[in-house]
């Protein structure tokens, strides 16, 4: 059962006009309120049909719109909506917009492309499942973009915003000429007790290269390919789900020029909107691996290299956000001039969010995700970006 409350102006109702003032306790998408002298109706995408009421519904307490003797010019009324799916389960309160199964399928396609191209990530997920069980939850998904010609953060974030995600804090990385936003997931109607993309919805972290701060030569290359992409920016999520570029393949010389100035730019030129990394939520694991220190040791003992930039473990200033990541895989890429060379792909990250000080006395079984440190940290993220750097890839090869 969900209660929707609206505030309307009596004077407008008497004149048979659409109320100007209308508010709800939760977001009510595409809601239209129609009023006339004998009835009013509510029509919204969340209701299967328009809900109508005649003035006789209010006879017992005097029609609050037309007959009320109260001197107040603003009146309020509420609608109680109950939804029941075919299986008989009651739908929980949800801020999710649209079809959850469709959205999760898109995330699943992004994940499948990512795992097929990045054997390290796939192997580590399988390794953790073998030691801890199948309950693996994602902390966040991350994407990289070019901040020019409409191909920046907004091009990818639109998909997530449409399904109920909310934009949160901005992060700046001046030395790398980057900025980023993270997006918090909506509440969903399911229990979210599944694994991976079928578990709790991940946060989203999207960064963009501030192209106008690069050299004229680098800007020219990036603008060339984003111009070729043209309306491809409208289909960023589709490109990620299919694992394809929205522009044509670049030449190897163009890739090299960008790599010398910005390794982020070179990575994005050949990977486009592909998942840059997924992050395992370590504190949601069941075994001793829920401690990120234990997990890091477990991963290294099994022969995988972790990003050593700034130390294996990246710790936020408040000590509550702990992160680490592998070094990116490489893959062979055939450039437009016929040259085939190894280029960096993606990596996998691990994050442990500790309980906030005000909740430190909660029993462990009572701790929920909202009791833990949220958000991201510039210092941590700056080092995590290095997972695709030449220095880290060279160290891995050695």
């Amino acid at each position: 059962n969900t209660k929707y409350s609206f505030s309307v102006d009596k004077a407008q109702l008497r004149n048979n006009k659409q109320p100007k003032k209308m508010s709800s306790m939760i977001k009510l998408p595409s809601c239209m309120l129609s009023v006339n002298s004998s009835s009013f109706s509510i029509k919204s995408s969340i209701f299967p049909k328009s809900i109508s009421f005649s003035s006789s519904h209010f006879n017992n307490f005097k029609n609050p719109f037309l007959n009320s003797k109260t001197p107040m010019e603003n009146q309020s009324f509420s609608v109680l909506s109950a939804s029941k799916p075919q299986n008989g389960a009651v739908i929980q309160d949800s801020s999710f917009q649209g079809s959850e199964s469709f959205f999760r399928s898109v995330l699943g396609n992004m994940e499948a492309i990512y795992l097929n191209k990045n054997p390290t990530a796939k192997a580590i997920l399988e390794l953790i499942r073998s030691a801890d069980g199948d309950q693996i939850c994602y902390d966040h998904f991350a994407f990289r973009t070019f901040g020019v010609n409409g191909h920046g953060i907004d091009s990818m974030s639109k998909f997530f915003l449409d399904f109920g995600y909310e934009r949160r804090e901005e992060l700046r990385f001046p030395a790398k000429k980057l900025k980023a936003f993270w997006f918090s997931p909506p509440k969903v109607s399911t229990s979210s007790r599944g694994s991976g993309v079928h578990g709790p919805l991940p946060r989203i972290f999207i960064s963009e290269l501030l192209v106008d701060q690069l050299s004229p030569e680098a800007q020219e290359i990036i603008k060339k390919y984003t111009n070729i992409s043209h309306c491809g920016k409208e289909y960023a999520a589709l490109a990620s789900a299919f694992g394809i570029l929205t522009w044509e393949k670049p030449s190897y010389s163009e890739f090299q020029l960008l790599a010398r100035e910005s390794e982020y730019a070179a990575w994005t030129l050949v990977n486009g909107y592909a998942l840059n990394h997924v992050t395992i939520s370590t504190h949601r694991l069941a075994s001793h691996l829920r401690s990120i220190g234990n997990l890091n040791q477990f991963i290294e003992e099994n022969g995988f290299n972790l990003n050593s930039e700034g130390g294996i473990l990246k710790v936020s200033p408040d000590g509550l956000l702990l992160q680490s990541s592998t070094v990116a895989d490489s893959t062979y890429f055939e450039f437009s001039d016929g040259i085939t060379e190894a280029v960096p792909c993606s990596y996998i990250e691990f994050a442990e969010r500790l309980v906030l000080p005000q909740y430190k006395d909660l029993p462990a079984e009572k701790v929920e995700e909202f009791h833990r440190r949220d958000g991201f940290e510039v210092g941590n993220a700056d080092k995590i970006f290095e997972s695709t750097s030449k220095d880290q890839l060279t160290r891995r090869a050695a």
Side-chain angles (χ1 to χ4, degrees), residues 355-364 367:
V355 176
L356 294 167
Q358 60 266 39
Y359 302 119
K360 62 181 176 61
D361 295 327
L362 274 178
V367 174

Side-chain angles (χ1 to χ4, degrees), residues 41-177:
S41 64
I42 301 170
K43 187 174 184 180
S44 168
S45 59
I46 67 167
F47 298 127
K49 295 180 180 179
S50 174
I51 301 176
S52 299
F53 301 86
S54 70
S55 59
S56 61
H57 284 90
F58 305 100
N59 285 341
N60 291 335
F61 54 93
K62 296 188 178 181
N63 188 321
F65 304 120
L66 306 175
N67 301 322
S68 175
K69 296 179 180 179
T70 177
M72 294 179 61
E73 283 304 307
N74 288 333
Q75 298 290 326
S76 297
F77 65 93
S78 299
V79 176
L80 190 65
S81 169
S83 300
K84 186 175 290 186
Q86 291 181 352
N87 61 11
V90 176
I91 296 178
Q92 303 171 14
D93 286 347
S94 170
S95 59
F96 193 85
Q97 314 265 340
S99 168
E100 187 180 327
S101 61
F102 169 77
F103 180 79
R104 289 185 184 274
S105 293
V106 174
L107 292 188
N109 275 17
M110 292 176 177
E111 178 195 44
I113 293 293
Y114 161 84
L115 293 176
N116 285 337
K117 288 187 175 181
N118 300 280
T120 295
K122 184 176 182 180
I124 287 178
L125 281 169
E126 292 173 351
L127 184 67
I128 293 174
R129 286 192 177 101
S130 68
D132 189 84
D134 195 49
Q135 182 71 23
I136 291 179
C137 300
Y138 288 137
D139 180 88
H140 66 272
F141 281 13
F143 303 89
R144 295 181 177 184
T145 67
F146 286 133
V148 68
N149 293 336
H151 285 73
I153 291 170
D154 291 347
S155 63
M156 177 58 80
S157 67
K158 183 181 185 301
F159 172 74
F160 296 98
L161 292 171
D162 283 348
F163 283 89
Y165 274 74
E166 293 187 5
R167 192 172 80 169
R168 304 295 293 274
E169 292 82 16
E170 180 184 42
L171 296 88
R172 288 272 178 170
F173 308 88
K176 288 182 169 62
K177 301 178 174 64

